[in-house]
Amino acid sequence: MDDARCRNLVNELGIVIVSVDYRLAPEAPYPAAIEDCYAVLKWTHANADKLSVDRARIAIGGDSAGGGLTACLALMARDRAEVPVCFQLLIYPMLDDRTGTTVMSSPELGKYIWTRSANHYAWNAYLGQAPGSAGVSEYAAAFRAADLHGLPPAYIGVGSLDLFLDEDLEYAKRLMAVGVPTEVCVIPGAYHVFDVFIPEAPLSKIFKNSYFSALKRAFAK
């Protein structure tokens, strides 16, 4: 599903991308997907020479549920301290299993494409229990993390009509509050995965340039 985005990144930035074919819920609920991601991160680091990859410049990224896995992977990599991560690219990431169950900043959030009911269904399938339940791990829902210190610099991009707007902006604020360099891009009038549905739209191109530039700057450092 993300081949086009990955190919564009490779072609325009000249980077190596390892795309994770992680196991999917509900057949394989948490922690299958995140452990698959971590295994691939370790494999990439171990095989960096064969891949022509600089071990000091390994970034992680994803969109939507993949963005949520990316945020969880950043937490896991920090805590296990086996592989250094230089940057996390979070494209409209799915961070909080409680989203949609509480009052949100606007009734317009989640009206298009990815709705509250879809979000509830997805989290239930992934967690194997009702979203919002007590004891959900931060490696399942990154927003649950109490301590965000020591995470790699981040980019968070989201549309102003995306169901994930509130959680993404709040997560960005929390990252910045503990000194994690964080860039935020909010596209006005954009719904979830808008850039995938209409890639040639002017706002989609602005969004693409935004996160492409952020990743390029991260590797340049």
Side-chain angles (χ1 to χ4, degrees):
M1 187 171 66
D2 284 325
D3 277 356
R5 193 195 303 274
C6 290
R7 288 177 186 273
N8 283 336
L9 283 162
V10 168
N11 291 334
E12 294 196 23
L13 302 185
I15 60 177
V16 174
I17 288 184
V18 181
S19 185
V20 186
D21 185 18
Y22 55 82
R23 288 168 288 173
L24 302 176
E27 293 80 7
Y30 171 80
I34 187 61
E35 289 294 351
D36 288 349
C37 292
Y38 188 76
V40 171
L41 178 64
K42 283 190 66 177
W43 178 89
T44 302
H45 185 263
N47 290 275
D49 293 338
K50 296 179 182 178
L51 297 169
S52 298
V53 165
D54 181 352
R55 285 185 174 87
R57 293 192 296 169
I58 295 178
I60 55 178
D63 63 89
S64 194
L69 284 170
T70 298
C72 293
L73 183 59
L75 290 162
M76 186 174 281
R78 177 199 65 182
D79 296 344
R80 294 184 180 179
E82 295 177 305
V83 179
V85 173
C86 76
F87 189 70
Q88 52 179 324
L89 184 70
L90 308 178
I91 301 174
Y92 31 75
M94 184 176 180
L95 301 171
D96 190 356
D97 61 295
R98 297 161 295 190
T99 291
T101 62
T102 57
V103 176
M104 304 186 72
S105 63
S106 168
E108 296 298 308
L109 300 184
K111 284 185 66 174
Y112 310 101
I113 306 299
W114 192 250
T115 63
R116 295 187 185 204
S117 60
N119 199 55
H120 185 277
Y121 176 86
W123 274 114
N124 189 73
Y126 183 59
L127 297 175
Q129 59 181 320
S133 299
V136 172
S137 170
E138 63 190 52
Y139 302 140
F143 200 90
R144 297 276 196 144
D147 182 11
L148 300 182
H149 285 89
L151 290 174
Y155 170 97
I156 298 179
V158 66
S160 67
L161 295 180
D162 197 313
L163 178 67
F164 301 148
L165 176 68
D166 288 351
E167 64 186 88
D168 289 355
L169 293 183
E170 183 59 29
Y171 195 71
K173 287 171 61 178
R174 291 176 58 202
L175 286 171
M176 289 184 276
V178 296
V180 176
T182 304
E183 180 178 347
V184 179
C185 176
V186 178
I187 300 297
Y191 47 82
H192 195 59
V193 297
F194 68 97
D195 56 321
V196 176
F197 283 104
I198 316 176
E200 296 307 312
L203 287 179
S204 296
K205 293 180 179 179
I206 290 172
F207 187 52
K208 172 188 170 182
N209 290 336
S210 174
Y211 67 81
F212 272 47
S213 296
L215 189 56
K216 187 175 182 178
R217 289 194 299 274
F219 284 135
K221 294 178 182 178

